[in-house]
Amino acid sequence: MEELMKDTIDKVERIGLNVVVVMSDLGSNFQSLAKHLKVIPERPWFMHNQKKYYLMFDPPHLIKCIRNNLMKYTFKFGQYTAKWQDIVVFYNKDKELPIRAAPKLTDKHIRPNNFAKMKVKYATQILSHTVTASICMYVSVGGLPSSAMGTAECISKFDSLFDSVNVSTIHSQKSLKCALTQTSPHLSFFEQAISFIKSIKIFQGDEEVTGRIKCLNGCSFLNSSRGNCNDDFDNLLAQFSKADSSVPVLVAASTSQQSDDIDTTDYKEKEVSDNLLKNNPIAYVAGYLLRKSFPKHKCSTCESALVTDQLEDNRNLLCFFKAYE
């Protein structure tokens, strides 16, 4: 394998191309090659003809492997625990709503067969910013237990990981889904990533099986990032105020007395929780439509009445969590 790879590099460079990175999937032959070349996350390169070549494992394969392992095992890192069951419970509730928080998710995402597991989109649409934001919102209104924040945090980190190596534009709303420059956040992001990946412990029941999970070592070649969610959202609704947020929300708080606003003692009542789960996606879609309409139908009065930069209404939590930093 080593001889074939180096011969290919030589032939490619003889026709005028400059080889910088050698990329492969996670096949055992390629893992053995990396070990033979003494390529490790702290030294992710090998020398050939007095030139340095970097080795990376293919990000689409890695993200699928992470999804597959999350389906089978429990991920623990720091104070968090991530479980596939949290995603299943979220999906089963969300799919019953008239307007959903994560409309792209289907049964194939949750229970993929062998063919569906080969499609990258079924992994990236699960490990996505939308699912992170949706789970955060569900936890905030009592639709999921506070422990599900660990799953949201895990998803957020791997979403950022994939963003950082899946770039096709110079600029993007997502800070890591853009070209790496000296002023972009990628370098500090990568430094934090290695410690995150190293901190992950994987369990099958009570048995730790981290050593079996080869894709974690592969991810160390790519790095990762911090998530967007704070440590404790269990009493989130009671804590937000005007001073707490400056994220633009495209649906202003209602002045009607018939409101879903609630306090710390009743926000987990099932009826209130169900109403908020239903109303948050509606508010998000309404905000999206307003955003699209304002450039074509300018009205300062409407904009003043309908747009706010404060999180004043619990029905706008999904808007808050989905807003990019």
Side-chain angles (χ1 to χ4, degrees):
M1 178 65 73
E2 178 183 4
E3 183 179 349
L4 177 61
M5 178 191 67
K6 291 181 177 179
D7 182 56
T8 302
I9 290 174
D10 293 339
K11 289 180 178 178
V12 169
E13 294 202 328
R14 276 200 295 269
I15 64 173
L17 298 178
N18 179 33
V19 178
V20 177
V21 176
V22 175
M23 189 170 292
S24 72
D25 61 24
L26 284 169
S28 58
N29 53 341
F30 291 112
Q31 293 186 48
S32 297
L33 175 63
K35 186 176 181 180
H36 175 71
L37 294 171
K38 298 181 180 179
V39 174
I40 57 176
E42 293 76 17
R43 182 186 174 276
W45 67 80
F46 61 92
M47 301 298 296
H48 174 55
N49 292 336
Q50 298 183 327
K51 181 180 175 181
K52 184 183 292 184
Y53 296 92
Y54 289 86
L55 187 145
M56 289 177 62
F57 293 105
D58 184 23
H61 280 88
L62 288 172
I63 203 73
K64 288 189 292 183
C65 286
I66 292 296
R67 185 274 318 275
N68 293 344
N69 283 292
L70 185 57
M71 290 178 67
K72 295 172 60 178
Y73 305 114
T74 298
F75 286 33
K76 295 185 179 182
F77 54 102
Q79 68 198 55
Y80 294 113
T81 298
K83 297 180 179 180
W84 184 258
Q85 185 61 25
D86 291 330
I87 300 172
V88 174
V89 173
F90 157 69
Y91 170 72
N92 287 336
K93 290 186 176 184
D94 193 57
K95 71 178 182 179
E96 299 300 325
L97 299 179
I99 297 180
R100 297 170 53 192
K104 289 185 178 180
L105 296 192
T106 67
D107 287 350
K108 286 187 177 181
H109 291 80
I110 305 302
R111 292 175 288 276
N113 57 30
N114 289 336
F115 290 103
K117 285 181 180 179
M118 297 173 64
K119 290 193 174 183
V120 177
K121 73 173 184 178
Y122 290 137
T124 57
Q125 288 172 351
I126 282 283
L127 303 177
S128 67
H129 176 70
T130 293
V131 173
T132 297
S134 299
I135 291 178
C136 288
M137 184 269 288
Y138 268 62
V139 171
S140 300
V141 303
L144 287 171
S146 58
S147 59
M149 287 306 301
T151 304
E153 182 77 358
C154 182
I155 292 172
S156 176
K157 289 179 183 293
F158 283 112
D159 171 58
S160 298
L161 164 64
F162 192 71
D163 281 348
S164 68
V165 291
N166 183 42
V167 177
S168 58
T169 59
I170 297 177
H171 304 289
S172 172
Q173 284 184 309
K174 300 181 78 173
S175 61
L176 294 168
K177 199 174 177 65
C178 60
L180 188 153
T181 68
Q182 289 185 338
T183 58
S184 71
H186 292 80
L187 297 181
S188 59
F189 165 88
F190 290 149
E191 290 178 1
Q192 298 164 5
I194 292 177
S195 60
F196 160 63
I197 294 170
K198 287 183 176 179
S199 73
I200 296 175
K201 304 296 181 185
I202 299 181
F203 288 82
Q204 185 174 33
D206 295 328
E207 179 188 2
E208 184 178 348
V209 295
T210 310
R212 302 181 199 169
I213 312 303
K214 304 302 182 184
C215 61
L216 286 182
N217 186 57
C219 286
S220 297
F221 290 85
L222 303 179
N223 302 307
S224 183
S225 78
R226 291 182 61 193
N228 297 320
C229 303
N230 292 328
D231 293 342
D232 184 10
F233 285 87
D234 198 33
N235 293 313
L236 180 66
L237 298 183
Q239 296 172 355
F240 273 122
S241 67
K242 281 190 175 183
D244 292 326
S245 172
S246 60
V247 178
V249 178
L250 284 171
V251 181
S254 171
T255 58
S256 169
Q257 292 183 352
Q258 295 180 344
S259 171
D260 287 323
D261 289 345
I262 46 186
D263 60 31
T264 56
T265 60
D266 68 359
Y267 85 92
K268 287 186 177 179
E269 291 294 330
K270 187 176 187 306
E271 183 178 355
V272 176
S273 176
D274 289 348
N275 285 337
L276 287 171
L277 293 179
K278 183 185 298 183
N279 290 335
N280 264 272
I282 293 173
Y284 179 79
V285 172
Y288 173 81
L289 294 174
L290 286 173
R291 182 180 179 183
K292 291 295 184 180
S293 66
F294 280 153
K296 297 183 179 180
H297 307 283
K298 295 186 181 297
C299 174
S300 58
T301 302
C302 295
E303 190 166 348
S304 175
L306 295 171
V307 178
T308 178
D309 62 356
Q310 307 297 331
L311 181 58
E312 300 172 322
D313 193 316
N314 298 331
R315 289 169 293 186
N316 292 334
L317 281 165
L318 184 60
C319 298
F320 174 82
F321 287 121
K322 286 204 70 171
Y324 295 122
E325 293 182 349

